[in-house]
Amino acid sequence: MLKSKTFLKKTRAGGVMKIVREHYLRDDIGCGTTGCAACGGAHEGPALEPQPQDPASSLCPQPHYLLPDTNVLLHQIDVLEDPAIRNVIVLQTVLQEVRSRSAPVYKRIRDVTNNHEKHFYTFTNEHHRETYVEQEQGENANDRNDRAIRVAAKWYNEHLKKMSAENQLQVIFITNDRKNKEKAVEEGIPAFTCEEYVKSLTANPELIDRLACLSEEGNEIESGKVIFSEHLPLSKLQQGIKSGTYLQGTFRASRENYLEATVWVHGDAEEDKEIILQGLGNLNRAIHEDIVAVELLPRSQWVAPSSVVLHDEGQNEDNMEREEERESILKTAVNEKMLKPTGRVVGIIRRNWRPYCGMLSKSDIKESRRHLFTPADKRIPRIRIETRQASTLEGQRIIVAIDGWPRNSRYPNGHFVKNLGDAGDKETETEVLLLEHDVPHQPFSQAVLSFLPKMPWAITEKDMKYREDLRHLCVCSVDPPGCTDIDDALHCRQLENGNLEVGVHIADVSHFIRPGNALDQESARRGTTVYLCEKRIDMVPELLSSNLCSLRCNVDRLAFSCIWEMNHNAEILKTRFTKSAINSKASLTYAEAQMRIDSTTMNDDITTSLRGLNKLAKILKKRRIEKGALTLSSPEVRFHMDSETHDPIDMQTKELRETNSMVEEFMLLANISVAKKIHEEFSEHALLRKHPAPPPSNYEILVKAAKSKNLEIKTDTAKSLADSLDKAESPTFPYLNTLLRILATRCMMQAVYFCSGMDNDFHHYGLASPIYTHFTSPIRRYADVIVHRLLAVAIGADSTYPELTDKHKLADLCKNLNFRHKMAQYAQRASVAFHTQLFFKSKGIVSEEAYILFVRKNAIVVLIPKYGLEGTVFFEEKDRPKPRLVYDDEIPSLKIEDTVFHIFDKVKVRIMLDSSNLQHQKIRMSLVEPQIPGISTDISDMDINEPERKKKKLQK
């Protein structure tokens, strides 16, 4: 049966166009119940059980199916995902509404529907002759959809009666909309709210914890005192933003101070890019990453960013007096120049909530169901949840979702989602850090794996069609020990004309990952391989990353080669690019390659090639540094693991050899050569990488720190910074230069991917290069895969496809890649932090030399060179008398009693693992030297058994 709708539309040119919309209605859409005689197996895919064996409901004891409305699907997805909930009918009307309102929930519901064990069935009610309803005159779309859902529920109940009169199968309509429920009951449809139904499942009391609490009235705290001002409606916010009364931006909470946040204003105007917010009232229930509207406060109320470190640790009560007291700490006399534009949140434009990992802080009130949940991410406020399993969940890592934040509640309300396992357990903690940093880490799906080449694999004649055979060349790879995903290999040989030929050969990943298929989409989503301390989350399946794409020795592999002809002064005479086949003659570690270069007896082809490369690399590096490239420093940590327990038994900073630098120089050269080529060929849609110059204000801390040691650091250009860093030496303090370079690294901006047609500043500040890209690591970076595709099209070795030459699509891709790279970096740091804790847990208490990196109002941040470890020494302890502290931001310095601390001062600190807070176990540092009465720790006081005592507490 065909329904058609005709309407007229005016075109831009002023003409009138007649549009006919056809809507087909069918009789052969099945109800989804296996074995339904009336439908005759018309449905396909996952189906409902004929005899649902679901948990007994006290409200509806007979067998039944559930039919939820849109809001239940949107807000109670955590309940629906629970294994106890099965046999659910998802209507097309509901699914379409969910799709338009929340992409993440839509994806989750599709996943549940595809899980055959859950028996979720999608019923296309909009195309079924008996369940399709037309919008009536005066009826809005929402009411029409509610009616369509009720019509479908009623049809189902009548249909099931016909199917089996004695069976008494029912369809229960689940809705939280009071009017809709009343109408359904009037029409004879069994209907309950989600809460009523879940509470009736007496065999599954834990399901109640997963209910999202939506009615804000019910959740308001008994005191009823309004703490926050009301959020303005969206229409008023949009008006205000348009007129310039309000500014729209992204809310960024502070890790160090829960009473402070910044809002990054959207738009191109450079001034007022960042607005500071201080105090609970001005933060007004915004949560990290929300899109908010802010109102600027008058200049007289502007504040300076606080140097105080404040964490929200306290009892579970809503102690507003304590908050007011803490807010007054933030307001200290400051220099007029330090004041920043200050504002307050007037409304929320879009919430960016996600499920949060953390731990339960059990209420002190006996039998209480209300508890506070403390997220692992310190930027997220604590969340109040209701649970009956508090004693089971104590000491566990759990996931909680936020439901809302009423005006008179100090904390947002939420609900329990999932238990991840014991806190402190290595598997659990790794899962937490992957979830918290949004690292996709599920095993690759069958759809993705289906695009992998069939084994055994070999290079075919077809593969060689557009390739050069370079298998005769003496190619070798140099990598860290234990590396299995070998992206790059090198060669160097003398030509007959006396010049040198140097080749960088990169794994030809784009040969195996073809545009647009499931493997390509998954690699693009992951964006990068994530390296944790003892785990690697691959961007591509292992068959490619560790085998077919990895340039292992003595096997034929496909590569993309960048080959230069150079003279002995490392000047490039010719550059060419070609797809190739290579056979690496050796896979070496940096140490092995260094040993060959230094050896007096080894003179084989591989060693000769390495010596040639090393000689050229030194010239290239010198030339690069002369141009103003920066040599910065950041302490990289390396753990030695116990072979059985896999716990760290030793920890040291990574040693860098000449060979590290040798490989790096040729990778940089290849990246620059490729960047020039792809930009030449595709000026509008080359994927490039830039490193913006930092604003002068970023360097303030570095300049002040150097000045305190009577050194001058110039920062007007990268060249002057590099030169002044080279000159900043102190014969009595050799480590000072490294500290300055570490501090300079902190001043830098993040390097980012971008599309050449969307930007006109290509410069890479750190490398002092006018153009740069990433080409040399396609196994572990998706950006390189795109660059390979662009280069292949440029040299005629592969065909193009529409997305490759769409600069808007490329810009969106860059946005995701930049996000994934940033998250991978943070996840790596979190993994190092966790393994550092494990190391000190077994090591006990130690004292080490440290250098001050920053001074704060009530603390110093120190770096311990031996371990490459950074930590904070606090001078205001809860149960100790407050010392006399004088903070000077100009120098910067911190005076404690009569001792003054400057940046780069050498101190001695005591390091121990503090496990008193299971959630945020941390390395606690305290001052040993210089001795300050009442502050410094005496080494003889050290209780060496402390970690043991803490360990027992942890194992309880």
Side-chain angles (χ1 to χ4, degrees):
M1 181 180 164
L2 182 68
K3 291 256 178 196
S4 63
K5 220 186 222 178
T6 308
F7 53 93
L8 303 174
K9 187 182 174 186
K10 201 172 181 181
T11 64
R12 274 186 179 174
V16 173
M17 191 161 72
K18 183 178 178 183
I19 293 176
V20 179
R21 289 252 166 90
E22 294 181 336
H23 190 89
Y24 289 87
L25 298 180
R26 299 165 56 162
D27 298 317
D28 59 348
I29 295 171
C31 68
T33 309
T34 314
C36 170
C39 297
H43 56 266
E44 285 174 18
L48 304 160
E49 291 178 298
Q51 288 296 319
Q53 300 300 310
D54 292 331
S57 160
S58 54
L59 288 171
C60 181
Q62 66 261 51
H64 55 270
Y65 300 141
L66 300 178
L67 192 148
D69 72 357
T70 308
N71 282 328
V72 170
L73 226 61
L74 279 170
H75 301 297
Q76 306 292 356
I77 181 72
D78 290 321
V79 171
L80 296 171
E81 282 178 334
D82 193 280
I85 302 291
R86 293 151 35 133
N87 292 297
V88 174
I89 297 159
V90 181
L91 297 180
Q92 182 188 358
T93 312
V94 170
L95 206 53
Q96 282 169 346
E97 273 196 280
V98 168
R99 187 178 190 170
S100 65
R101 283 167 64 183
S102 170
V105 174
Y106 177 73
K107 186 186 179 304
R108 284 168 74 179
I109 210 71
R110 296 299 307 179
D111 290 345
V112 175
T113 313
N114 292 332
N115 177 355
H116 290 254
E117 289 170 13
K118 290 279 286 171
H119 298 286
F120 271 51
Y121 177 67
T122 309
F123 178 61
T124 26
N125 62 310
E126 295 290 352
H127 290 279
H128 192 291
R129 191 199 289 264
E130 292 178 45
T131 57
Y132 172 74
V133 299
E134 283 197 50
Q135 195 167 341
E136 292 171 355
Q137 218 168 350
E139 185 178 44
N140 65 29
N142 206 22
D143 290 345
R144 180 258 166 216
N145 287 348
D146 284 349
R147 190 161 57 86
I149 295 168
R150 293 197 304 275
V151 165
K154 196 169 184 180
W155 175 85
Y156 252 106
N157 276 320
E158 285 164 4
H159 178 79
L160 292 175
K161 267 182 202 160
K162 284 182 213 162
M163 183 179 116
S164 163
E166 69 283 351
N167 205 343
Q168 290 189 319
L169 244 179
Q170 260 192 333
V171 166
I172 294 178
F173 178 39
I174 305 290
T175 178
N176 286 334
D177 181 328
R178 199 179 70 241
K179 280 185 184 166
N180 205 5
K181 186 187 163 197
E182 284 167 5
K183 282 182 184 170
V185 173
E186 276 169 29
E187 291 168 21
I189 304 163
F192 302 109
T193 66
C194 192
E195 195 172 340
E196 286 169 346
Y197 180 76
V198 166
K199 284 183 175 171
S200 78
L201 304 175
T202 44
N204 298 78
E206 75 287 348
L207 258 182
I208 299 170
D209 290 352
R210 301 187 75 165
L211 275 172
C213 38
L214 295 171
S215 62
E216 295 217 331
E217 309 79 30
N219 297 319
E220 299 202 343
I221 307 313
E222 286 72 23
S223 69
K225 184 185 168 194
V226 173
I227 301 168
F228 299 102
S229 53
E230 202 169 344
H231 286 153
L232 298 178
L234 201 54
S235 54
K236 275 198 178 159
L237 296 179
Q238 283 163 339
Q239 273 174 346
I241 289 163
K242 213 172 180 182
S243 66
T245 320
Y246 306 137
L247 295 165
Q248 176 175 330
T250 306
F251 182 88
R252 302 262 168 87
S254 159
R255 282 176 208 276
E256 296 194 330
N257 187 340
Y258 73 100
L259 294 174
E260 190 168 281
T262 49
V263 170
W264 281 81
V265 178
H266 301 168
D268 301 326
E270 273 308 305
E271 68 278 2
D272 301 345
K273 193 78 183 150
E274 196 180 43
I275 293 169
I276 193 164
L277 313 174
Q278 266 185 13
L280 277 180
N282 291 339
L283 301 180
N284 197 5
R285 298 172 286 155
I287 289 170
H288 185 63
E289 291 293 338
D290 282 351
I291 307 296
V292 298
V294 285
E295 176 182 48
L296 269 181
L297 297 174
R299 240 172 210 282
S300 58
Q301 293 177 37
W302 283 15
V303 297
S306 165
S307 304
V308 180
V309 177
L310 280 181
H311 292 147
D312 182 15
E313 295 161 343
Q315 292 311 306
N316 291 357
E317 77 274 4
D318 299 299
N319 186 344
M320 288 314 293
E321 285 76 22
R322 186 191 69 144
E323 302 301 356
E324 282 156 23
E325 191 185 305
R326 294 190 111 181
E327 281 180 28
S328 65
I329 300 173
L330 304 181
K331 294 173 176 50
T332 48
V334 283
N335 185 328
E336 191 72 21
K337 283 195 306 203
M338 302 291 291
L339 297 177
K340 292 267 169 77
T342 307
R344 67 184 188 95
V345 171
V346 289
I348 309 288
I349 292 160
R350 192 176 79 239
R351 289 289 195 190
N352 268 331
W353 296 342
R354 59 178 176 85
Y356 300 104
C357 300
M359 290 178 76
L360 197 69
S361 312
K362 201 171 161 213
S363 170
D364 296 337
I365 305 162
K366 218 177 171 195
E367 301 300 314
S368 173
R369 285 182 182 175
R370 279 190 170 176
H371 307 275
L372 278 182
F373 161 83
T374 308
D377 186 341
K378 288 187 176 170
R379 294 168 302 189
I380 307 299
R382 297 200 278 176
I383 301 163
R384 184 176 274 103
I385 66 167
E386 283 198 31
T387 176
R388 288 148 187 75
Q389 29 178 349
S391 20
T392 320
L393 297 179
E394 221 181 350
Q396 302 281 299
R397 287 281 197 180
I398 62 173
I399 297 179
V400 159
I402 297 179
D403 300 324
W405 195 340
R407 285 177 62 198
N408 59 356
S409 167
R410 166 66 186 84
Y411 297 109
N413 294 320
H415 65 274
F416 167 77
V417 176
K418 188 181 178 187
N419 184 355
L420 294 172
D422 293 333
D425 171 72
K426 205 181 294 183
E427 288 298 309
T428 306
E429 294 302 331
T430 303
E431 180 70 11
V432 167
L433 76 87
L434 291 171
L435 287 168
E436 278 299 290
H437 295 97
D438 197 6
V439 174
H441 60 287
Q442 299 74 19
F444 289 99
S445 69
Q446 274 315 115
V448 169
L449 298 174
S450 68
F451 286 97
L452 291 174
K454 303 289 172 273
M455 296 301 283
W457 175 86
I459 297 176
T460 63
E461 245 177 76
K462 189 184 167 196
D463 294 335
M464 293 305 295
K465 194 175 175 188
Y466 296 105
R467 285 178 195 277
E468 265 185 63
D469 193 339
L470 304 179
R471 285 176 279 199
H472 59 284
L473 290 178
C474 184
V475 171
C476 69
S477 63
V478 185
D479 289 282
C483 176
T484 60
D485 49 346
I486 303 170
D487 286 291
D488 53 88
L490 301 154
H491 89 271
C492 173
R493 64 173 179 167
Q494 187 138 359
L495 297 171
E496 286 172 7
N497 62 8
N499 289 332
L500 295 167
E501 178 187 83
V502 175
V504 164
H505 310 277
I506 306 299
D508 188 4
V509 179
S510 63
H511 172 85
F512 296 98
I513 301 181
R514 302 311 295 162
N517 68 24
L519 175 58
D520 182 45
Q521 286 169 358
E522 182 61 18
S523 308
R525 186 174 80 92
R526 293 183 179 220
T528 178
T529 292
V530 181
Y531 295 90
L532 305 180
C533 289
E534 16 160 21
K535 194 177 186 176
R536 191 178 81 198
I537 314 292
D538 281 324
M539 179 184 87
V540 299
E542 199 177 1
L543 178 66
L544 295 182
S545 68
S546 296
N547 187 351
L548 301 186
C549 290
S550 185
L551 305 181
R552 306 190 307 194
C553 58
N554 303 319
V555 285
D556 291 350
R557 288 289 176 260
L558 299 177
F560 210 147
S561 301
C562 173
I563 299 168
W564 304 278
E565 186 178 327
M566 290 181 178
N567 61 21
H568 287 264
N569 197 23
E571 286 159 341
I572 298 169
L573 309 171
K574 271 189 209 154
T575 306
R576 67 190 182 91
F577 305 98
T578 176
K579 289 229 174 185
S580 60
I582 64 163
N583 186 305
S584 170
K585 304 298 180 271
S587 299
L588 307 172
T589 64
Y590 290 118
E592 286 167 347
Q594 191 67 53
M595 202 177 70
R596 279 174 177 261
I597 291 168
D598 299 340
S599 163
T600 49
T601 55
M602 294 178 87
N603 287 306
D604 57 284
D605 289 351
I606 294 168
T607 309
T608 311
S609 177
L610 286 169
R611 285 187 188 134
L613 290 164
N614 197 37
K615 193 173 144 216
L616 292 169
K618 284 179 181 174
I619 303 168
L620 289 168
K621 185 171 187 175
K622 186 167 174 279
R623 199 174 294 148
R624 217 165 40 81
I625 288 168
E626 279 166 7
K627 275 190 193 164
L630 297 172
T631 312
L632 298 176
S633 177
S634 66
E636 280 199 70
V637 182
R638 189 182 178 138
F639 294 98
H640 291 274
M641 301 293 183
D642 182 301
S643 56
E644 284 178 19
T645 62
H646 294 285
D647 283 341
I649 47 177
D650 194 11
M651 173 182 174
Q652 60 203 143
T653 45
K654 284 184 187 171
E655 190 186 337
L656 294 178
R657 294 181 172 81
E658 243 181 35
T659 42
N660 291 68
S661 180
M662 175 189 84
V663 173
E664 186 187 4
E665 283 310 313
F666 287 108
M667 296 308 119
L668 293 175
L669 192 61
N671 286 335
I672 292 167
S673 301
V674 171
K676 287 176 184 166
K677 178 72 179 172
I678 61 172
H679 182 246
E680 224 169 79
E681 207 69 31
F682 308 105
S683 59
E684 283 293 292
H685 44 258
L687 191 153
L688 301 174
R689 187 164 176 83
K690 68 171 180 175
H691 181 217
S697 59
N698 278 29
Y699 285 127
E700 272 174 23
I701 187 76
L702 176 68
V703 173
K704 283 179 183 175
K707 198 176 169 188
S708 72
K709 292 283 178 252
N710 298 319
L711 295 168
E712 188 187 8
I713 297 283
K714 291 181 178 164
T715 60
D716 41 336
T717 65
K719 174 88 177 115
S720 57
L721 174 64
D723 291 346
S724 50
L725 280 171
D726 287 341
K727 286 179 197 148
E729 296 280 358
S730 164
T732 56
F733 186 1
Y735 196 64
L736 177 65
N737 192 267
T738 308
L739 286 169
L740 281 165
R741 289 181 195 278
I742 288 169
L743 209 51
T745 309
R746 307 290 167 92
C747 302
M748 293 300 142
M749 306 290 282
Q750 191 85 32
V752 288
Y753 296 112
F754 70 101
C755 169
S756 60
M758 306 290 274
D759 207 321
N760 40 24
D761 171 26
F762 293 7
H763 193 76
H764 197 293
Y765 179 80
L767 296 172
S769 174
I771 192 165
Y772 191 65
T773 192
H774 270 164
F775 163 76
T776 55
S777 295
I779 297 178
R780 57 188 177 89
R781 290 189 306 232
Y782 187 76
D784 304 51
V785 176
I786 296 292
V787 169
H788 276 227
R789 288 175 182 168
L790 288 164
L791 184 62
V793 174
I795 64 167
D798 205 343
S799 48
T800 184
Y801 58 99
E803 283 78 11
L804 194 64
T805 51
D806 181 333
K807 63 181 183 182
H808 297 286
K809 289 250 171 74
L810 216 50
D812 287 343
L813 180 72
C814 289
K815 199 175 166 185
N816 179 52
L817 293 179
N818 291 329
F819 170 72
R820 292 289 180 212
H821 276 263
K822 190 169 70 177
M823 285 300 143
Q825 228 175 353
Y826 291 162
Q828 279 152 339
R829 284 181 206 163
S831 180
V832 168
F834 175 62
H835 280 79
T836 306
Q837 289 171 10
L838 288 179
F839 173 69
F840 283 106
K841 186 176 162 186
S842 56
K843 184 103 175 148
I845 298 173
V846 291
S847 273
E848 287 296 341
E849 279 183 354
Y851 294 99
I852 298 176
L853 275 184
F854 303 101
V855 289
R856 302 269 187 254
K857 264 187 189 167
N858 57 350
I860 55 172
V861 179
V862 298
L863 173 76
I864 297 156
K866 182 178 174 182
Y867 299 124
L869 175 66
E870 207 177 298
T872 308
V873 178
F874 290 100
F875 294 117
E876 288 181 332
E877 297 285 330
K878 265 183 211 159
D879 311 320
R880 285 189 175 186
K882 275 194 177 180
R884 241 181 25 253
L885 299 176
V886 183
Y887 174 69
D888 183 342
D889 185 63
E890 280 306 302
I891 301 176
S893 69
L894 178 66
K895 187 177 180 183
I896 303 156
E897 300 296 342
D898 298 316
T899 309
V900 182
F901 291 97
H902 296 96
I903 293 183
F904 302 148
D905 283 359
K906 192 176 187 178
V907 293
K908 196 167 195 178
V909 294
R910 178 181 94 153
I911 316 162
M912 61 173 276
L913 179 69
D914 177 2
S915 310
S916 56
N917 179 342
L918 257 183
Q919 155 92 326
H920 291 122
Q921 288 195 42
K922 52 179 175 251
I923 302 293
R924 193 175 280 284
M925 294 189 185
S926 52
L927 194 67
V928 175
E929 286 171 17
Q931 276 286 326
I932 304 173
I935 297 286
S936 302
T937 312
D938 188 352
I939 300 187
S940 58
D941 292 349
M942 290 192 191
D943 182 357
I944 302 300
N945 297 323
E946 186 85 3
E948 284 306 313
R949 229 179 36 235
K950 294 269 161 73
K951 201 185 278 184
K952 285 185 182 119
K953 189 174 171 186
L954 221 147
Q955 288 163 353
K956 272 183 189 173

